[in-house]
Amino acid sequence: MRMQIDILSLFPEMFESPFSHSIVKRAISGGHVHINPINFRKYGIGKHQIVDDTPYGGGAGMLLKPEPIFEALDAIKEERPETKKRIILMDPAGKPFDQAMAEDFAEEEHLVFVCGHYEGYDERIRTLVTDEVSLGDYVLTGGELAAMVMVDATVRLIPGVVGNKSSILEDSHSTGLLEHPHYTRPASYRDLDVPEVLMSGNHGKIEEWRHKESLRRTFERRPDLFKELELSDQEKEWAKEFKQN
């Protein structure tokens, strides 16, 4: 099955370069996903294709009008009536995007991202969407950059896109832990040495070291994630060690 991703944006050309490289390009070339940025200004009102207007009741800024978004989504549905669509609104007030959400999106056959601009949306646009999602607790000029991040995080999880499936399963946040440190040759560089256990050939000891260091990194860098973990007896002993150090 090939995933379809449509992106409604006033600046569809912004997506050309990010999606022409690396994993996303490979996914497109391999037939795993088709990404279609759509300029919804073509559904704007009148000769000048107006897509925004002042808010009722007054206030600063301009709002995206409902008509262009409604009609753009109508066109998508008419073109592909057979697919179940997940319609995702880029919104600073939405649910924070995370790895679990990326994994959820990767299970879908058709994603539609709606990228806002200006001060916000006419509230009626929200009646069309299945998800309202935020990249973080800050405000961007528009939803395009957030959509790029979400598409990248999602596409790499589609089966067959990344050759080594285990590399995905061990990613930071996929297991609830941050990823352990990695090393490659040379074994020593500027008095910085690779831990001996990694060169020992003892795979059991290596896996134990990696798990402990993953837990340590989560403890030190993301205490919010660490406190949500259900620790084994061994992990509890390691946690005591971390606290002492």
Side-chain angles (χ1 to χ4, degrees):
M1 180 188 73
R2 182 175 72 166
M3 177 185 286
Q4 173 70 27
I5 298 179
D6 292 308
I7 305 171
L8 299 185
S9 168
L10 291 174
F11 305 98
E13 63 277 4
M14 288 181 65
F15 296 91
E16 292 176 6
S17 179
F19 295 162
S20 298
H21 304 278
S22 192
I23 297 296
V24 176
K25 178 183 178 182
R26 184 190 307 172
I28 295 170
S29 299
H32 299 287
V33 63
H34 178 256
I35 301 177
N36 180 35
I38 300 168
N39 190 339
F40 64 82
R41 186 175 292 281
K42 68 180 180 179
Y43 300 99
I45 308 302
K47 176 181 177 181
H48 299 291
Q49 298 179 308
I50 295 171
V51 296
D52 63 317
D53 208 337
T54 56
Y56 278 118
M62 304 288 281
L63 299 178
L64 281 180
K65 294 170 63 62
E67 304 99 305
I69 303 298
F70 271 75
E71 292 185 19
L73 289 174
D74 284 346
I76 290 172
K77 292 173 183 177
E78 288 175 10
E79 185 175 352
R80 296 181 179 84
E82 74 285 356
T83 61
K84 180 182 178 182
K85 297 162 185 64
R86 189 92 173 254
I87 302 173
I88 304 152
L89 188 72
M90 304 290 95
D91 187 354
K95 183 178 179 181
F97 183 72
D98 58 16
Q99 186 67 20
M101 193 180 295
E103 293 171 359
D104 193 25
F105 287 171
E107 297 291 327
E108 301 291 342
E109 61 177 331
H110 193 165
L111 300 176
V112 181
F113 291 87
V114 181
C115 301
H117 225 71
Y118 309 113
E119 186 65 23
Y121 304 96
D122 181 290
E123 189 68 16
R124 288 165 290 189
I125 292 171
R126 299 183 191 279
T127 66
L128 302 173
V129 308
T130 57
D131 303 84
E132 298 177 25
V133 185
S134 168
L135 195 59
D137 294 333
Y138 45 86
V139 179
L140 298 170
T141 303
E144 286 78 13
L145 293 176
M148 291 176 199
V149 170
M150 295 179 197
V151 169
D152 185 279
T154 298
V155 166
R156 65 188 301 276
L157 298 175
I158 298 173
V161 171
V162 175
N164 187 351
K165 186 176 180 180
S166 63
S167 67
I168 294 177
L169 297 176
E170 295 171 2
D171 281 341
S172 290
H173 303 293
S174 292
T175 62
L177 297 171
L178 300 186
E179 199 168 3
H180 56 77
H182 294 277
Y183 295 87
T184 187
R185 288 183 281 271
S188 182
Y189 182 70
R190 298 194 180 188
D191 296 325
L192 299 171
D193 298 330
V194 175
E196 290 186 9
V197 64
L198 297 179
M199 299 181 287
S200 68
N202 187 326
H203 296 292
K205 289 292 185 183
I206 291 171
E207 287 306 310
E208 182 181 85
W209 180 89
R210 286 175 171 170
H211 183 62
K212 181 178 180 180
E213 292 307 310
S214 182
L215 194 71
R216 185 197 304 275
R217 182 164 284 185
T218 307
F219 173 83
E220 294 174 347
R221 301 184 183 185
R222 291 294 303 273
D224 57 319
L225 295 178
F226 188 86
K227 70 180 182 180
E228 299 296 326
L229 298 173
E230 294 185 10
L231 302 180
S232 66
D233 290 340
Q234 177 62 77
E235 290 170 332
K236 289 177 182 177
E237 290 300 314
W238 288 339
K240 291 178 182 178
E241 178 184 323
F242 303 156
K243 291 174 183 177
Q244 291 172 356
N245 295 334

